[in-house]
Structures are given as C-alpha cells and as structure tokens.
Amino acid sequence: MDQCASVLLAFPPATWGEAATPSSDDDDEISYHQAVRQHAQNVDKLIKDGGVLLTPGFAQQLLAVVHPGRHSISYLALLQAVLLLDSSSSSSSRDDGLLANITVFLMTFDARQIRYAGASLSSLLDAVANGGIFPASVAVDLITTCLSRLDPTGSMLTSHHLTLATLAYETDNIEPALPVLERTVVFYPGIKGQPEPSYPCSLSLPPSAYITIESGLTGRLTSTMVLQYDFLCGLCFIQRRSWRQALDALERVMSYPTKDNNSAATTTTTCSKIMTEAHNKWVLVSLLATGRTPPAFPPTTGYGPRKTYAMLGKVYYTVAQAFEQGSAEVLKNEVLQIGQRVFDEEQNGGLLKLVMSHFQRWQILNLREIYTKISLEQLRTETESAEKGGPLDTVEEVEALVREMIEDGMLNAVIEKPADKPAHLVYLGAGDETMTEEEFRQEMMETARRMKELEPLVKATNERLASNKDYLKAVIREQKREKMGVQDMSVDFEAQIEDEDLMGGIMASD
C-alpha cells in the first residue's frame, strides 16, 4: 500500500506547499505542465499494471488516503478502478461510501489538474448520468457542478451539456441544471482557427483551448446534437414558464446555418425537422412572452428555412393573427376549425392551451396603457376569455384571474376594495427605486468582474476569426458594401457562409 500511496500522492510535490503550484511564477506553467503530465502517466500505469488494486477493499482504503481536491488525478483514477470492479461484480447494490466519494470529488476537484485527465472525467460523468447510481435530481446537480468548475464562464459547449439537458428535461429536474443551461455558449468543440496551447494548465486560457476532443473533456458534437441541445434548453425554459429565455433558445435552433440556405431558388427541404418544430413553438411562445406575433425571423435565418417555416407554420400564424385581432370568439373559432389534434400531434397542444388562457391576460395587461385604475366590472366587460369565447360571467372570476397574474409576476398591480365603492384594479408603475451608494459600488464591481471574465473569450474569438476565410470574406464584402451604400445587412452576410459554419464547420442538413 505504501508503494501505491507514494505514486498517488506524488503530485503536487510537497515542496510546492499548500498552493499546489511551483514557487516561481516564471516557471509555473512549464514546471506544472511537466510534473502533472508525468504524474498522470504514472497513475495510469499504476492502475493498469497494479494487480493489488483489483480488490475493492484496497482501492477504498487508498481513497481514504488521497485528497480529492489536492490529488484530483489520483482520486479520479481510484474512483474509476472501484467503479470498474463494482460493475463487474454480481451485486446490484451500490456502496454508499463510493457514492459519497464521487459526490465529494465532483464538488471539490482541482479543475486545473483535471485538464490532464479529461477522458477519465468524461467516463465518470457518463457513469453518473447513465449508470443509475444516483437519483436523477442528484445526477443533474453533480454534472452541473462539475461543468461549472471546469468552465466557470459557461461559454464552451460540450457533449456533457447535451447529456445534462436531456436528463434534466426528461426527469423534470430543471432547476439544478439552470447554472449551465442559462449560460451563453460562445465556443464549440472542433472550432477552426483555435491555436494549440503549449501548456493546457495555463490559467489565462479560454475554455475552448483546453476543453477539446483531444483532451477528452468533451466528445465530438454534430450539428444535430447542437440543435438538440438548444431545443432541449427551449423545452426546459418552456417548462419553467421562462418565455423570454425559451424564445432565445428556439431562435438559436431555427436560425442555425444550413448548406443551401442562401439562394432564392432554394427548395423547402433545406432545414431539419427539429428546426421546423422549434419555429412552430417559437410562434406560440412569442404570443405568451409578448402578446403578439413575432415581428420577424432572426436576421441570420437562411432563405431556405424561411420558406419552409412560412409553409409548414401556416396554422400557427393563423392562430397568432387571430390572437392579435383582439376577438376571443375569432380566436376560439380558428382553433376549433384547425382542430386541437393538429397541435397535439406536434406536441404543441399544451402550449396552445396556455396561449388561449393568456389571451385575456394580455388584454388586461395592455389596458395599463389606457387606465391607471379600472373597476373589476369594467375589466370584465372590456376583456374576453378565449376559452369561453366572450367575457367572464362574474367579477369574482375576473378577480381570481387578476390575482393569479399578480402572483405569477406578469402584472404589477393591486386590487383595492373600498367600503363604499366597487372593487377596482390599480396599475402600478415599474418603480424608480434609487440605489444606495453601496449598492451602486457593488453593481460596478460586479460589472468589472464580468468584463474581466470576458477578456480571454474575446481574445480567443478574435484570434479564431482572424484566421477564418469565411469571416475575412464577409469583412471584405462588408467594406465594399459600405462604399456602395448597400443597406441590406443580413442577406449579404448569409451569402458568405457557403460550405461551413463559423461555429465549428458543421451544418444542419437532416
């Protein structure tokens, strides 16, 4: 055991002290890289060749000696060995001690060390997600924590993101995954123009430089997988009634680049089924989020997909137009004429019911532009229920609806019931609360911190775009366009993307 422990505890060297880094800043990256790479090789050899580790009891004893946060590579290797032994045993029960070991590791591992053990970490995450060793809610929380530790910026999409989104949505455990799902993705695996880092341990690297297919921290992502991730994010936000976030996610799906989306002669088969599904949900979600039809497609939406959406989304635009006309009877009749079954078959029946229930909500909300105060009886006669096809029958029903809107945060108002007057609704303003000096200082500090975090992302993006031929073509044509006074910005840019996607050389085609 002493011999095994000496190998497992060899990194970081005791001479580096509690900081677990070389004492000289000048030599930090070189010394750290050489030492951690050699350590990873030694641990790998020990696990593969050390027959003494092929007993669960001995491996568990070593886990008690090795610290998950300081000796992360060693701890991870031991976890893998124990999991392998556990999967090969005839017992179907899991050791609570092992589950605790995995939990502590994923919450405390040294993210810098783990850049050199990416394949092992990915294997562990796969076991957590698919092995049934944790309840779904715990698995979602652990994967979220792990991804956040690997990439605090949340700007790098990985294959584990898709696993997380799928698990969170299918098990209805969305809340724990939000710290990852709500982040803005900037980088994708396999992006072109990304320089190969000499030392993956460098703390100044953007996540795209060390979270790579080669490092094992992510698997390869196809265009379909990228679309699936954003679509699942949209479904998660819909489930949470976060309409604005759902709109953003669905827009990313429907505006995803396709190979033949730039020609006016494009057929209607240029975008995938998941893109049309996202578009149809996008129309309904827009009604819920803004109370009106989307004003236009996202500017980067290709010509071919636009034609497809217009053709396959006719019934959705029919509903949207009826919603905007302001007649509950017209909206109800249109839905009846189309048939609920059409929407149910496309798994949009639930969204449609929400749209119907929100028709009167938006009427009540829009009356704030006319009134500051309105009686509940007048509110009853001036608004209509699309589900009923006309006004509600009683003031009590109106009051219940208004209270629900206030509780949901959709309406900023109060209901007043004076003793000698009818009950009425008072619309409140947005509020002009003045920040204290301390609150202002804290906000400025937070803004500065976020800007500091963006520096390596901006640098990496600039370097990548500077070596991308499609981007350079776009810049040159943009300059020519400015000289000629051309005004149509989006169409000309679309014409530059012919064979590959600036995000990663992958296009949507199925």
Side-chain angles (χ1 to χ4, degrees):
M1 180 172 179
D2 290 343
Q3 182 180 357
C4 293
S6 65
V7 175
L8 296 170
L9 300 175
F11 184 89
T15 55
W16 288 4
E18 291 298 322
T21 58
S23 57
S24 172
D25 292 339
D26 294 336
D27 296 333
D28 178 71
E29 289 182 4
I30 300 175
S31 301
Y32 191 99
H33 171 73
Q34 293 175 343
V36 72
R37 186 175 59 176
Q38 183 61 53
H39 176 69
Q41 293 173 355
N42 293 341
V43 171
D44 186 58
K45 187 175 186 301
L46 175 68
I47 298 297
K48 289 181 178 179
D49 300 342
V52 69
L53 291 179
L54 297 180
T55 59
F58 185 64
Q60 285 282 16
Q61 291 180 45
L62 289 171
L63 281 171
V65 174
V66 178
H67 191 280
R70 185 173 177 82
H71 313 107
S72 298
I73 292 177
S74 299
Y75 202 92
L76 177 57
L78 288 172
L79 285 178
Q80 275 198 298
V82 176
L83 281 171
L84 181 62
L85 291 169
D86 188 71
S87 63
S88 62
S89 68
S90 58
S91 174
S92 59
S93 61
R94 292 285 180 178
D95 181 9
D96 290 341
L98 175 59
L99 301 186
N101 293 144
I102 295 174
T103 300
V104 170
F105 172 77
L106 290 175
M107 297 181 68
T108 62
F109 69 85
D110 181 354
R112 194 183 188 192
Q113 278 188 51
I114 292 302
R115 296 180 187 184
Y116 292 82
S120 297
L121 182 66
S122 290
S123 178
L124 179 62
L125 288 179
D126 290 342
V128 170
N130 307 316
I133 57 179
F134 287 102
S137 59
V138 176
V140 168
D141 196 20
L142 289 177
I143 297 172
T144 300
T145 300
C146 178
L147 293 178
S148 299
R149 292 181 65 80
L150 278 177
D151 174 19
T153 70
S155 60
M156 181 72 193
L157 186 67
T158 72
S159 54
H160 304 299
H161 281 67
L162 179 56
T163 300
L164 173 64
T166 302
L167 184 63
Y169 178 70
E170 291 182 349
T171 63
D172 195 21
N173 284 282
I174 299 169
E175 182 77 24
L178 291 179
V180 169
L181 302 185
E182 290 182 331
R183 293 285 191 157
T184 300
V185 172
V186 179
F187 303 114
Y188 298 79
I191 56 177
K192 297 186 177 182
Q194 178 66 48
E196 185 73 21
S198 300
Y199 307 110
C201 60
S202 174
L203 298 178
S204 63
L205 290 176
S208 57
Y210 60 86
I211 302 179
T212 63
I213 298 169
E214 293 73 21
S215 73
L217 286 171
T218 178
R220 190 174 301 277
L221 286 177
T222 64
S223 60
T224 300
M225 294 168 72
V226 174
L227 289 169
Q228 286 174 339
Y229 174 72
D230 281 327
F231 188 69
L232 282 166
C233 284
L235 295 180
C236 286
F237 294 134
I238 288 173
Q239 188 74 11
R240 287 178 50 79
R241 307 295 191 262
S242 301
W243 306 125
R244 293 285 181 176
Q245 289 177 305
L247 275 180
D248 290 341
L250 295 172
E251 285 184 359
R252 292 195 296 270
V253 178
M254 55 186 287
S255 62
Y256 193 87
T258 56
K259 285 185 177 180
D260 52 352
N261 67 353
N262 308 307
S263 169
T266 299
T267 66
T268 59
T269 59
T270 57
C271 62
S272 62
K273 184 174 182 292
I274 194 172
M275 294 172 71
T276 60
E277 289 178 352
H279 165 264
N280 294 342
K281 292 184 187 297
W282 176 72
V283 176
L284 296 180
V285 171
S286 182
L287 296 175
L288 294 167
T290 67
R292 57 183 181 272
T293 310
F297 291 121
T300 54
T301 307
Y303 188 86
R306 288 171 188 254
K307 291 174 61 178
T308 304
Y309 300 151
M311 182 185 71
L312 299 182
K314 286 182 179 179
V315 296
Y316 293 90
Y317 285 109
T318 298
V319 170
Q321 289 167 4
F323 191 98
E324 286 192 282
Q325 285 179 2
S327 170
E329 185 178 2
V330 170
L331 177 57
K332 182 179 180 181
N333 289 338
E334 286 289 0
V335 171
L336 289 174
Q337 185 175 350
I338 295 170
Q340 179 72 32
R341 180 178 58 83
V342 173
F343 299 95
D344 289 339
E345 288 177 351
E346 297 183 0
Q347 298 183 348
N348 288 324
L351 271 179
L352 179 65
K353 290 179 181 178
L354 281 172
V355 167
M356 299 294 284
S357 69
H358 274 61
F359 176 79
Q360 189 170 17
R361 285 179 169 226
W362 274 104
Q363 285 190 325
I364 294 172
L365 198 61
N366 290 336
L367 284 176
R368 65 187 174 182
E369 299 176 6
I370 303 174
Y371 302 100
T372 56
K373 179 188 295 188
I374 182 173
S375 71
L376 295 187
E377 173 58 29
Q378 187 179 356
L379 203 62
R380 186 189 72 81
T381 58
E382 291 196 20
T383 63
E384 298 177 316
S385 166
E387 297 158 307
K388 187 176 184 298
L392 293 175
D393 295 327
T394 66
V395 170
E396 287 74 20
E397 290 178 291
V398 174
E399 181 178 348
L401 175 60
V402 169
R403 291 193 184 280
E404 187 177 336
M405 291 174 64
I406 294 173
E407 291 174 3
D408 291 346
M410 185 177 184
L411 178 64
N412 185 21
V414 293
I415 295 176
E416 295 184 351
K417 294 183 175 182
D420 55 343
K421 294 181 181 180
H424 55 264
L425 177 70
V426 179
Y427 291 97
L428 303 178
D432 298 323
E433 296 183 4
T434 303
M435 286 190 297
T436 65
E437 182 176 341
E438 176 62 21
E439 289 173 337
F440 180 77
R441 186 182 71 83
Q442 291 293 337
E443 185 171 319
M444 291 300 99
M445 290 178 62
E446 177 63 18
T447 300
R449 183 191 65 78
R450 290 197 300 266
M451 292 179 65
K452 185 71 174 177
E453 287 181 350
L454 288 174
E455 287 180 4
L457 307 184
V458 173
K459 180 181 178 182
T461 301
N462 289 338
E463 290 175 350
R464 179 167 65 90
L465 291 178
S467 62
N468 188 287
K469 60 183 179 65
D470 292 310
Y471 176 75
L472 296 177
K473 285 181 185 178
V475 172
I476 294 171
R477 294 195 186 188
E478 174 68 17
Q479 292 172 345
K480 289 181 180 179
R481 227 174 11 84
E482 289 179 354
K483 291 180 181 179
M484 297 171 60
V486 178
Q487 299 299 318
D488 192 349
M489 304 288 287
S490 61
V491 174
D492 189 68
F493 178 77
E494 288 171 8
Q496 321 310 316
I497 314 300
E498 299 170 356
D499 298 321
E500 60 185 342
D501 165 20
L502 290 179
M503 292 190 298
I506 51 180
M507 308 293 290
S509 58
D510 59 329

